[in-house]
Amino acid sequence: MAACFWKPHSRFVIVRAQAKDAHQALQTEQMHFFPPLFAHAHPHLTTLIHAHTDRLPMNTVAMILAGGEGTRLTVLSEERAKPAVPFAGKFRIIDFTLSNCVNSNIFTVGVLTQYRPHSLNDHIGIGKPWDLDRYRGGVRLLQPFQGRKGQQWYAGTADAIYQNLNFLSENKADLALILSGDHIYKMDYQRMIEYHVQQGADLTIAVMPVPLEETDRFGIMEVDEQQRITAFFEKPKARDKGNLASMGIYVFDMAMLQKRLGEGRPSNPRNDFGKDVIPAMLTAGDKICAYRFEDYWVDVGTIDSYWATSLELLHPKPALDLYTDKWPMHTRSEERPPAKLGPQARVVGSMVSNGCVIRGLVVNSVLSPGVYVGPGAQVKDSVVMNDTWIGAGAMLDKVVVDKQVVVGMGAVLGTGDESVKNEQMPDRLFAGITVVGKNATIPDRAKIGRNVLINSDRDADDFPEDGVVADGKTI
């Protein structure tokens, strides 16, 4: 029997077909729409309508902020936005947020881009890998543009949402789920939405504790016993504000979002959620609640966190399990042949993607599609991205290599003193990790030290004649 539901004040009855009972009907995705008169003409369906009307979720539209430059990732985000950086072999960072949306049954998604959006645009396309190529809803890429009403480049997170309020209105959003596109985690957003509705909140912020030494990277808040936020500090320098941090995940009541974003314009616009909007809402007495998230969540916004998080996936029982059907991660994959191991190949505790050809040694490393490792070459504790060629006898140790890099025969990358920080970026390259930018060519028999940065598109002529690059140098 078909199950029929009607949301009050709605023009439609939602009929979910092929469901054995009302509970199953709420889970299936097969929807058809008929006017409410249809239900009244079929009395045997009205019981289901009235029994389950209160269980219907409010209409939620997701907005993913994906325009960040991500400067702390150095050359990895030089030619692409941070959410487009490859991760875990075949994925991009934004895949986790997009997959969380569809796994949470949220199928209307706006992706707000700005900084170097081409790679991200190509990756997302019309959203087919995430089942977001839909007639109703689906994914839309929202870029800043010049217009008669004064649209311009996004001046901050809140300004980006303000300039796209029409997208929320067009999709009749009751709630706005605002997300960052540059974090690695799995989360059921519906649980947070249910909590928001139960609390009767104007705004709900997902929070989790972070180490005290990292509190200056986050919005830090204080809450009362009812989890109502009483104070908010945006990236405080002092370590005395506690360690309950914002995850950059917000559920807004749509009416309140429009009201607070519209205040102060044009002379004193509220451009940023952490600096402007949240403090203003606390001052106004709005109800802001904290939703505690107790699962895996990582901001891979630095080279050391990106490298460490990538290698954590190789543990026998990683905190983030990509090999489960319960909460699958989706991505746009190229058609490539299976990975191939030659007669002298040896792979230990590593992740090797499709299209790779291995003829050397790979240990505790992550290889993206199309990587070639030549005979006698060794790759240890490294992250190597798409279509990189590693010549015979080359050695990589604790290196992050971007796409389409050529490592010459016999070259050694990652040797020397880890304590020597990079001279130009001592706050970003200090953990012994050497980074190679996209399309770079490393000369044969070059010797590259620790905490070295090799910029994109460098070739043999950019290196010293002897091929030696000391610890902490930049090419």
Side-chain angles (χ1 to χ4, degrees), residues 315-327:
H315 293 175
K317 294 184 178 180
L320 179 68
D321 186 5
L322 298 177
Y323 298 89
T324 175
D325 294 332
K326 293 182 179 179
W327 200 264

Side-chain angles (χ1 to χ4, degrees), residues 211-261:
L212 277 175
E213 61 270 19
E214 296 183 12
T215 54
D216 60 344
R217 294 174 50 199
F218 300 93
I220 302 298
M221 63 204 74
E222 298 174 354
V223 299
D224 61 19
E225 294 180 355
Q226 286 73 43
Q227 300 304 305
R228 183 164 179 170
I229 296 172
T230 58
F232 186 90
F233 310 96
E234 177 68 1
K235 299 180 179 179
K237 298 300 181 183
R239 308 296 187 187
D240 59 349
K241 309 300 183 184
N243 69 333
L244 192 62
S246 167
M247 297 167 59
I249 301 173
Y250 311 115
V251 179
F252 270 96
D253 175 82
M254 184 61 188
M256 182 60 70
L257 178 65
Q258 290 175 310
K259 179 179 179 181
R260 294 303 179 214
L261 290 185

Side-chain angles (χ1 to χ4, degrees), residues 154-223:
Y154 301 146
T157 53
D159 182 62
I161 299 298
Y162 175 77
Q163 292 197 41
N164 290 284
L165 285 174
N166 62 319
F167 177 79
L168 291 163
S169 299
E170 289 170 1
N171 286 283
K172 299 179 174 57
D174 301 306
L175 301 175
L177 173 64
I178 299 174
L179 307 164
S180 295
D182 51 11
H183 299 148
I184 304 298
Y185 66 112
K186 294 183 178 183
M187 182 177 182
D188 186 349
Y189 300 135
Q190 288 295 350
R191 294 183 180 180
M192 181 177 176
I193 292 168
E194 291 169 4
Y195 174 85
H196 172 85
V197 174
Q198 291 168 0
Q199 294 292 318
D202 298 307
L203 164 63
T204 298
I205 304 175
V207 301
M208 68 184 307
V210 298
L212 277 175
E213 61 270 19
E214 296 183 12
T215 54
D216 60 344
R217 294 174 50 199
F218 300 93
I220 302 298
M221 63 204 74
E222 298 174 354
V223 299

Side-chain angles (χ1 to χ4, degrees), residues 66-67 110 118 134 163 167 222 347 415 430 457 461:
H118 307 295
R134 293 170 171 246
Q163 292 197 41
F167 177 79
E222 298 174 354
V347 178
T415 179
F430 54 83
D457 300 309
D461 294 337

Side-chain angles (χ1 to χ4, degrees), residues 290-407:
Y291 174 79
R292 291 181 180 266
F293 183 69
E294 298 178 348
D295 211 331
Y296 184 90
W297 179 88
V298 177
D299 179 357
V300 289
T302 64
I303 287 294
D304 55 319
S305 65
Y306 176 86
W307 174 83
T309 303
S310 297
L311 297 195
E312 284 174 3
L313 299 172
L314 306 176
H315 293 175
K317 294 184 178 180
L320 179 68
D321 186 5
L322 298 177
Y323 298 89
T324 175
D325 294 332
K326 293 182 179 179
W327 200 264
M329 293 292 108
H330 307 281
T331 189
R332 184 177 73 89
S333 296
E334 297 178 344
E335 293 296 332
R336 294 183 185 242
K340 180 180 179 180
L341 275 63
Q344 298 176 328
R346 187 181 176 207
V347 178
V348 181
S350 297
M351 185 180 292
V352 179
S353 301
N354 52 327
C356 288
V357 177
I358 312 299
R359 295 182 175 175
L361 174 66
V362 179
V363 179
N364 197 46
S365 297
V366 178
L367 274 56
S368 291
V371 172
Y372 172 82
V373 179
Q378 299 181 25
V379 180
K380 298 180 180 179
D381 299 331
S382 296
V383 179
V384 184
M385 298 183 194
N386 307 53
D387 299 312
T388 287
W389 189 91
I390 301 172
M395 297 181 63
L396 280 68
D397 182 28
K398 205 172 182 181
V399 182
V400 177
V401 183
D402 207 334
K403 291 183 173 184
Q404 299 167 353
V405 168
V406 175
V407 179

